[in-house]
Amino acid sequence: MKFSTSIGISVGILAGLWTIGSSLAGLITYAGFLSWATYYAAGGKAEGLKTTLILNLSGVIWGAIIVGISGLLGPVIGSTAGLGAGVAVGAAGMCWQGKISWLGFIPGAFVGCSTYFAAGFDFTGSIIGLVFGAVLAYFSEQGGHLLEKKEDKSTVHTTANEA
C-alpha cells in the first residue's frame, strides 16, 4: 500500500475518533486539528512532535501576554489601541524567539496563539487540545507506516538476473 493511502487511513480513523472523543469530553476539537497540522508542517517524526508541543505552547503563552498587555494599556490608550500594542509585542516576540534553534518554527507559535484567541482565551483548554492533536498526529504517522506495504525485495528482478 502506498504511504499516501496508508496515512490517509490512519489519519482518517484517528481524526474521526478525536472528533467524537473531544466532543464528548468537552475539549476544543479544532485545537487538536491545528496542532495536527503543525506537526506535519514541522516535518513529523519525533522532532516534529517536540517542535509542535514546544511552539504551540509558546504561542498560547504569547497569546496570554498579548491579552495582558491589552488589559493594561486598554484603559489608558483605548481598547483597540491597547490590543494593537499587545499584538505588536506578541507577534514580534514570536518571531524573535525564532533566533533560538528549538523555538525556530515560527508558524507553530502563531498556531498556538491563534488557538488561544479562537478558544476565547481558554488557556488550559487550548493546551489540552493542542497536546492531544500533536500526539494523535504522531500516532497517525506511525500508523501510516505500519499500514504501508513494504516492497518484497525477493520479487524484484534486475536485468542482470534476467539475462
Side-chain angles (χ1 to χ4, degrees):
M1 177 183 314
K2 290 185 178 186
F3 186 66
S4 61
T5 303
S6 64
I7 194 75
I9 293 168
S10 180
V11 168
I13 291 169
L14 290 175
L17 291 173
W18 166 245
T19 299
I20 295 166
S22 63
S23 295
L24 292 173
L27 300 175
I28 302 170
T29 304
Y30 64 82
F33 288 115
L34 290 169
S35 65
W36 209 314
T38 304
Y39 170 83
Y40 282 105
K45 302 182 179 70
E47 187 64 28
L49 178 61
K50 181 179 95 176
T51 298
T52 297
L53 291 169
I54 292 170
L55 273 296
N56 284 174
L57 174 60
S58 81
V60 173
I61 292 168
W62 279 111
I65 291 169
I66 290 167
V67 169
I69 291 171
S70 176
L72 288 173
L73 295 180
V76 178
I77 62 175
S79 61
T80 301
L83 179 59
V87 168
V89 170
M94 287 185 279
C95 292
W96 293 334
Q97 78 180 13
K99 291 181 180 181
I100 302 167
S101 64
W102 53 277
L103 294 173
F105 187 63
I106 294 168
F110 275 87
V111 166
C113 184
S114 298
T115 300
Y116 176 70
F117 285 132
F121 315 117
D122 181 349
F123 191 88
T124 303
S126 296
I127 291 172
I128 291 170
L130 290 166
V131 168
F132 267 103
V135 171
L136 286 168
Y138 178 79
F139 286 141
S140 71
E141 183 180 40
Q142 298 309 306
H145 287 302
L146 287 173
L147 293 172
E148 182 181 24
K149 182 179 178 182
K150 302 293 181 190
E151 182 179 352
D152 182 4
K153 296 189 186 304
S154 66
T155 61
V156 176
H157 298 286
T158 64
T159 54
N161 289 343
E162 295 174 352

